[in-house]
Amino acid sequence: SGDRKRGAIILDSIEVIYQEKGLSRDAAPRCFRLSAVRFYASISPTIPGTNSADHHGVFIDRLKYYLARVLLQICAWLPLPAVHGMGAVLGFVVNLFPTRLRQTTRRNLRQCFPHLSEEEVARLAAASLRETARTALEMGKSWLLPMDRLLALVREVDGAEHLEAARETNRGVIILAPHLGNWEVFGYYFTERYPTTFLYQPPKNPYIDAMVKASRGRGQAKLAPTNRQGVAQLLKALQAGEMIGVLPD
């Protein structure tokens, strides 16, 4: 049916050409019209959104989004200790297989701690993957809980006075915060108090990207993508005396 519709578009175009020349649509040889339809059908897979590969990609993106959303929603409902328990199991499973994440973790550990043996690297990598999985599952609470319930989970804040002193200079503040611990809660905590612009790398999945932007855009937070426009947005915020956040790793 899709090819017939696209073919009709070409036939309409042919009709316009023939009308301009004072000819009727029937004057176009049938073999020419069929060739036009087949030609359009042959090139249509190269046009985004018109081929089965594009539809398959959209389906996969949506499936990944719904699976992630369900998992995150479950984690938002569960008590935090239960989420951490699930994360420990997930990290243990990830460490069992030669995944890219496990290989990257071990490679980084070897570079940072060249004096460690392979057994020590493997043990430290396993612990790192457990904590990574716990942090990942905490995103359910970070992204989906109401802001007041999320910030109620913050028990202690260290060093806030240094940030306050930096803000009082009215020269802007740059926060360099690597992916250590739950950086999402850190961002929410400060953007509830101060206007802040965070540099972030949009996920490739557009549905997950929309969810992330909706979550991270709460409070006084603004998001700057990792491109030239995003860098310009960060500089503008600094010139206005605001805070910007960058995860350098």
Side-chain angles (χ1 to χ4, degrees):
S1 61
D3 287 347
R4 287 196 295 270
K5 291 179 181 178
R6 291 188 284 269
I9 295 173
I10 286 191
L11 293 179
D12 290 340
S13 301
I14 294 173
E15 183 177 6
V16 170
I17 295 173
Y18 270 69
Q19 286 176 351
E20 290 177 351
K21 295 182 178 293
L23 301 174
S24 68
R25 179 173 180 172
D26 293 336
R30 182 173 182 275
C31 61
F32 175 77
R33 285 183 284 161
L34 289 176
S35 297
V37 173
R38 290 167 182 162
F39 172 74
Y40 191 91
S42 68
I43 67 170
S44 63
T46 66
I47 302 175
T50 62
N51 61 78
S52 59
D54 286 329
H55 292 305
H56 178 72
V58 170
F59 172 77
I60 294 299
D61 283 345
R62 286 183 176 177
L63 179 62
K64 289 180 179 178
Y65 163 73
Y66 287 125
L67 291 176
R69 181 70 186 230
V70 169
L71 177 61
L72 291 174
Q73 189 64 66
I74 292 174
C75 292
W77 289 332
L78 290 174
L80 192 57
V83 174
H84 288 166
M86 290 174 56
V89 174
L90 178 60
F92 174 79
V93 173
V94 170
N95 188 58
L96 291 178
F97 302 96
T99 60
R100 180 180 178 183
L101 181 59
R102 190 185 79 171
Q103 293 172 353
T104 301
T105 301
R106 292 187 179 186
R107 181 171 62 250
N108 290 341
L109 288 172
R110 293 188 192 100
Q111 293 177 349
C112 294
F113 307 104
H115 60 282
L116 294 182
S117 66
E118 282 300 311
E119 292 76 11
E120 292 172 319
V121 167
R123 187 163 54 250
L124 190 56
S128 175
L129 291 173
R130 285 196 302 271
E131 296 306 318
T132 299
R134 284 171 173 164
T135 301
L137 295 187
E138 284 179 1
M139 296 305 172
K141 296 187 179 297
S142 301
W143 289 347
L144 302 180
L145 279 184
M147 189 69 76
D148 56 342
R149 290 181 57 191
L150 173 63
L151 295 181
L153 298 174
V154 178
R155 296 289 185 262
E156 184 178 353
V157 179
D158 295 325
E161 66 277 7
H162 303 300
L163 186 60
E164 286 286 355
R167 287 194 68 258
E168 290 175 359
T169 64
N170 293 321
R171 298 172 56 190
V173 178
I174 301 176
I175 301 174
L176 299 178
H179 287 81
L180 295 175
N182 194 322
W183 60 92
E184 299 282 348
V185 175
F186 169 85
Y188 293 135
Y189 181 83
F190 284 105
T191 55
E192 275 291 286
R193 292 157 176 77
Y194 322 112
T196 309
T197 302
F198 285 99
L199 187 70
Y200 94 111
Q201 184 172 2
K204 294 181 180 179
N205 188 316
Y207 303 101
I208 294 179
D209 184 36
M211 178 179 66
V212 172
K213 286 193 290 189
S215 174
R216 291 179 173 173
R218 295 181 292 175
Q220 302 184 70
K222 291 175 285 186
L223 301 178
T226 52
N227 53 32
R228 291 185 177 181
Q229 290 77 14
V231 173
Q233 187 177 343
L234 291 180
L235 291 175
K236 185 178 180 180
L238 274 180
Q239 292 169 350
E242 299 179 0
M243 295 197 310
I244 67 171
V246 178
L247 280 72
D249 58 333

